[in-house]
Amino acid sequence: MSRGRLVGMNGDRAVAYAVKQAKVDVISAYPITPQTIIVESLAEYVNNGELDAAYIPVESEHSALSAAVGASLAGARVFTATSSQGLAFMWEILWIAAGLRTTIVMAMGNRALSPNINIHCSHDDAYAARDTGWMQFFAENVQEAYDLTLMAFRISEDHRVLFPSIVNLDGFILTHAAEGLRVLEDRDVDEFLPPKKPVNAIDPERPMTYGALDLIDWYMEHRKFQFEAFESTRPAIKEVFEEYGEFTGRSYSPVKTFNTEGAEVVLVALGSSAGTLRHASRELAAEGKKLGVVSLTQYRPFPVDEIRRALSEASVVGVLDRSLSFGSPAPQLFADIASALYSAKRRPLLFSAVYGLGGRDFTPQHARELFSFAQEVLRKGEAPQRSIWIGLREG
């Protein structure tokens, strides 16, 4: 049985509640839709005396992440949140936060980037941060947004890891949708998530240099050290997922599979749309069709081995992207999947589908149409060279 008390919350409030239970020391906050409810809720907790933390209302997202970097290096448990253009304004500091091995946890209410101005869901912001050295996790529902926030603190602060984390939740679809979820008792969170034990924290009595000038002689070696350290986080992430599953009865893994065993056709997605795909897969299974779904809880570091195993039996794989990569042969998740499978012993036919930009609905009918398209690719033995678009207006 799943552990915890059953409550109703939207995704933003669930993240804020997890942050309160994590007993963070510092919150640096700047509002932007659709994550604003997170930092508003945390401001209420601090003001009401429910959370003993320093709340820094900064003047911009650039400052929000800069303050978070300083606080994390000083040894504090730190949280911030952002979306879309806010993430873009943080971009310079994203690299610094990762390179300095901070343990910041940031929630991202996924939202389309401008122009035109759109406050609804795309994964533009998550993809914009994919190469910066932050770990990234995707929630499919409100329960996962809560659980992943707690796990992100534990993972980032693990001394085998020491990298910052982003917890993605689809803007409005999850940030503003109220669902039932089970929240742990405070004492249970204390047991799972002990206080942070900082490494090489800023200490006036023992001065050190952070972010020193690093030119031709050593920069390349230091980048390789960081790359290898980031790659080495995989076992610790998996270990925390498994431990949290045993602790709560809610299982987590880097990659989630559904009906993939023996399925020739599999669709792959990030975020809330995976549930829609599973719903369609379940309906089609009742019609005698074996069609699989794979979703990624862990996006960075990319779970290469898990993806290869999950797709090892598929003949056709369709990859859904809620974003575009202008001028690229295919969008971002497709490029990751194609790269992971290129050296596999058995390579399926691959096609790319663009969907849901700017919050456009992705319905069960769209999912059924995608499965039907994938079956047609299987029959023809040929995949399209360019992305297909799902849910476009006609005319």
Side-chain angles (χ1 to χ4, degrees):
M1 180 179 174
S2 180
R3 189 171 188 165
R5 176 168 43 91
L6 184 63
V7 299
M9 290 185 189
N10 64 33
D12 276 352
R13 290 197 182 279
V15 169
Y17 195 76
V19 173
K20 179 173 86 81
Q21 291 187 299
K23 296 180 178 174
V24 296
D25 301 300
V26 175
I27 301 154
S28 57
Y30 191 81
I32 181 170
T33 304
Q35 71 80 9
T36 301
I37 297 170
I38 298 176
V39 292
E40 284 180 344
S41 300
L42 288 168
E44 290 174 5
Y45 290 141
V46 173
N47 183 63
N48 295 341
E50 298 175 65
L51 173 60
D52 182 15
Y55 189 94
I56 310 173
V58 295
E59 72 277 20
S60 74
E61 288 89 349
H62 190 282
S63 300
L65 194 53
S66 298
V69 168
S72 183
L73 291 178
R77 176 169 287 168
V78 184
F79 175 81
T80 189
T82 195
S83 297
S84 183
Q85 312 299 132
L87 185 280
F89 200 13
M90 287 179 170
W91 199 75
E92 175 191 8
I93 311 301
L94 289 174
W95 295 82
I96 295 170
L100 293 180
R101 308 294 296 273
T102 69
T103 60
I104 301 161
V105 172
M106 177 162 66
M108 188 135 68
N110 298 124
R111 166 182 156 178
L113 281 162
S114 300
N116 298 332
I117 297 174
N118 183 305
I119 60 173
H120 294 278
C121 184
S122 285
H123 291 156
D124 304 343
D125 43 15
Y127 290 148
R130 66 178 180 163
D131 299 326
T132 60
W134 284 61
M135 297 176 290
Q136 288 206 46
F137 307 104
F138 270 84
E140 291 187 18
N141 52 47
V142 173
Q143 181 71 68
E144 290 190 1
Y146 169 84
D147 290 339
L148 286 169
T149 301
L150 289 176
M151 284 188 278
F153 283 109
R154 175 74 180 272
I155 293 168
S156 282
E157 295 171 7
D158 189 308
H159 288 188
R160 296 168 295 173
V161 177
L162 300 176
F163 281 101
S165 297
I166 292 172
V167 176
N168 292 284
L169 59 163
D170 287 351
F172 286 97
I173 300 168
L174 297 183
T175 58
H176 287 61
E179 296 179 4
L181 75 154
R182 291 195 177 275
V183 297
L184 298 173
E185 299 298 333
D186 289 351
R187 61 177 179 277
D188 292 333
V189 174
D190 290 344
E191 181 181 342
F192 174 76
L193 184 63
K196 175 179 174 178
K197 295 180 181 177
V199 177
N200 295 326
I202 293 173
D203 181 358
E205 302 299 322
R206 194 168 62 94
M208 289 185 289
T209 299
Y210 299 83
L213 188 67
D214 195 7
L215 299 179
I216 300 167
D217 47 356
W218 278 105
Y219 181 86
M220 193 166 172
E221 284 74 16
H222 290 153
R223 270 293 188 256
K224 187 168 187 290
F225 295 155
Q226 184 181 343
F227 179 85
E228 291 176 344
F230 196 66
E231 285 295 306
S232 71
T233 60
R234 298 173 190 276
I237 295 171
K238 191 175 180 182
E239 186 178 299
V240 172
F241 279 173
E242 291 173 351
E243 186 179 335
Y244 192 81
E246 293 173 4
F247 190 71
T248 64
R250 299 187 286 274
S251 64
Y252 283 87
S253 60
V255 169
K256 196 183 297 183
T257 61
F258 182 80
N259 276 350
T260 53
E261 190 173 345
E264 289 190 289
V265 166
V266 177
L267 298 181
V268 184
L270 290 167
S272 61
S273 57
T276 308
L277 291 174
R278 282 195 289 273
H279 174 78
S281 171
R282 199 176 291 114
E283 286 187 337
L284 292 164
E287 301 173 14
K289 298 173 182 175
K290 186 75 172 175
L291 304 163
V293 178
V294 168
S295 57
L296 285 73
T297 303
Q298 174 188 322
Y299 177 58
R300 284 290 185 273
F302 195 76
V304 175
D305 293 340
E306 291 86 349
I307 281 291
R308 285 176 181 162
R309 281 196 295 272
L311 300 176
S312 60
E313 297 183 30
S315 297
V316 173
V317 173
V319 184
L320 283 69
D321 272 282
R322 203 166 202 145
S323 184
L324 287 173
S325 179
F326 295 100
S328 171
Q332 298 89 337
L333 181 60
F334 179 92
D336 285 327
I337 297 287
S339 177
L341 294 179
Y342 186 77
S343 57
K345 292 181 180 176
R346 181 175 180 274
R347 281 184 284 172
L349 290 171
L350 290 174
F351 73 90
S352 160
V354 174
Y355 78 104
L357 303 187
R360 179 66 57 86
D361 281 344
F362 180 67
T363 68
Q365 180 58 32
H366 290 144
R368 291 176 70 99
E369 290 171 5
L370 265 173
F371 277 121
S372 177
F373 182 85
Q375 289 176 299
E376 188 64 20
V377 169
L378 180 64
R379 278 191 290 273
K380 291 181 178 177
E382 184 178 0
Q385 296 300 304
R386 308 292 293 182
S387 300
I388 63 170
W389 288 63
I390 304 300
L392 276 181
R393 295 162 65 100
E394 295 183 359

